[in-house]
Amino acid sequence: MTKKMTITSIKKSKGVSPLVMITAYDALFARLFETNADMILIGDSLNMSFAGKSDTLSATLDQMIYHTNAVANGAKETFLICDMPFGTYVNKKEALKNAIKVFQETPADAIKIEGGEDRADIIEYLCSNQIAVCGHIGLLPQAVRLEGGYKIKGKTDEERLQLIRDARAVEKAGAFCMVIEGVKAEVACEVAKSVEIPVIGIGSGKDVDGQVLVFSDMLGLFEEFTPKFVKKYMDGATLVKSAVKNYADEVKTREFPQDIHTY
């Protein structure tokens, strides 16, 4: 097992070695990921992957705390980041109250909030109160209803310049790293070079400081749709269905259980 990363080692990885981040929501999968993941994100994506919702917005703070504790039970030596769900950081006071609740009730090493320049004052306030913050710029899943869908960023010069301003504002506010989602690859590369902290990409090309994927996407377990940026490393859904069919067939024919499975 590799040594658990820290805020310091994460920052020092920039320009040295790409960071590996993956989502997890329970102890079982977290334990499987621990050997190879630098960081595990307990993402509000669980609302879509496992709750069957159309977006992330109805995830609650209590849900995130529950799942963060579950992940922590499975990955005791991995750096854990808890997504702050929609509506939990609308202002500095609410953000701090809710972040303190996460830190007091879970072993999370950091929290993640969406937004750039517009959230910099909140990030700064949290950091000044001993809350470690991972930023999130570019495509913001929690803004899906406001923007009328998931829209790629960095297509115009204005968007490119705003993303650089966002990244610099997040860094200046005290974040130790940030996620950049759904941004044109050449722009994401420029953004990553504009700051001294790691920029972790998702759907933003390879020329950043690391990558994050939702595990149910990359394992082929989520069948509803597959974003362009997702590489399926296995066809999990087919494998699971096949295994369950074999089980069902053996139960119906009384092939299972056999003597070796019987007390």
Side-chain angles (χ1 to χ4, degrees), residues 99-106:
I100 287 174
K101 182 177 173 70
V102 170
F103 268 34
Q104 287 184 332
E105 296 184 15
T106 80

Side-chain angles (χ1 to χ4, degrees), residues 5-212:
M5 297 204 80
T6 64
I7 297 290
T8 300
S9 62
I10 290 168
K11 286 182 175 181
K12 286 183 176 180
S13 72
K14 189 177 179 80
V16 178
S17 178
L19 292 162
V20 178
M21 183 188 289
I22 189 170
T23 67
Y25 316 116
D26 58 49
L28 175 63
F29 277 98
R31 189 173 292 113
L32 296 175
F33 301 155
E34 183 167 37
T35 303
N36 294 298
D38 295 317
M39 294 178 277
I40 290 178
L41 170 66
I42 301 89
D44 58 3
S45 51
L46 66 88
N47 219 41
M48 300 174 71
S49 298
F50 289 90
K53 304 287 187 178
S54 60
D55 57 38
T56 67
L57 273 62
S58 62
T60 68
L61 190 64
D62 285 342
Q63 281 179 302
M64 299 310 301
I65 287 172
Y66 171 87
H67 287 282
T68 298
N69 280 319
V71 168
N73 287 337
K76 299 181 185 299
E77 296 300 322
T78 306
F79 192 95
L80 304 181
I81 302 175
C82 173
D83 243 344
M84 295 298 286
F86 179 72
T88 59
Y89 50 96
V90 292
N91 56 52
K92 292 191 287 188
K93 183 179 178 181
E94 283 295 305
L96 182 59
K97 180 186 77 172
N98 290 322
I100 287 174
K101 182 177 173 70
V102 170
F103 268 34
Q104 287 184 332
E105 296 184 15
T106 80
D109 297 288
I111 57 138
K112 180 174 76 65
I113 66 174
E114 296 183 8
E117 275 189 318
D118 58 330
R119 300 288 189 186
D121 61 328
I122 292 175
I123 294 172
E124 184 175 19
Y125 188 66
L126 291 173
C127 292
S128 70
N129 282 280
Q130 295 77 53
I131 304 292
V133 179
C134 170
H136 184 148
I137 65 172
L139 187 158
L140 307 179
Q142 292 178 10
V144 61
R145 296 185 193 176
L146 173 67
E147 298 203 342
Y150 299 102
K151 299 181 179 179
I152 302 303
K153 305 295 183 180
K155 291 183 175 181
T156 66
D157 196 52
E158 181 182 355
E159 286 186 354
R160 177 182 68 84
L161 293 172
Q162 183 59 56
L163 284 162
I164 292 172
R165 287 194 295 269
D166 285 339
R168 288 174 173 167
V170 167
E171 177 184 34
K172 185 178 179 182
F176 67 94
C177 74
M178 71 187 82
V179 169
I180 186 167
E181 180 169 359
V183 171
K184 297 290 287 184
E186 63 275 13
V187 175
C189 175
E190 188 176 355
V191 171
K193 290 178 178 177
S194 74
V195 294
E196 298 299 318
I197 59 174
V199 176
I200 314 297
I202 178 167
S204 300
K206 64 182 180 180
D207 296 318
V208 288
D209 305 306
Q211 298 292 330
V212 57

Side-chain angles (χ1 to χ4, degrees), residues 207-228:
D207 296 318
V208 288
D209 305 306
Q211 298 292 330
V212 57
L213 281 178
V214 172
F215 90 85
S216 50
D217 289 341
M218 56 90 69
L219 294 183
L221 295 167
F222 187 74
E223 294 186 290
E224 279 69 14
F225 61 89
T226 302
K228 179 182 178 181

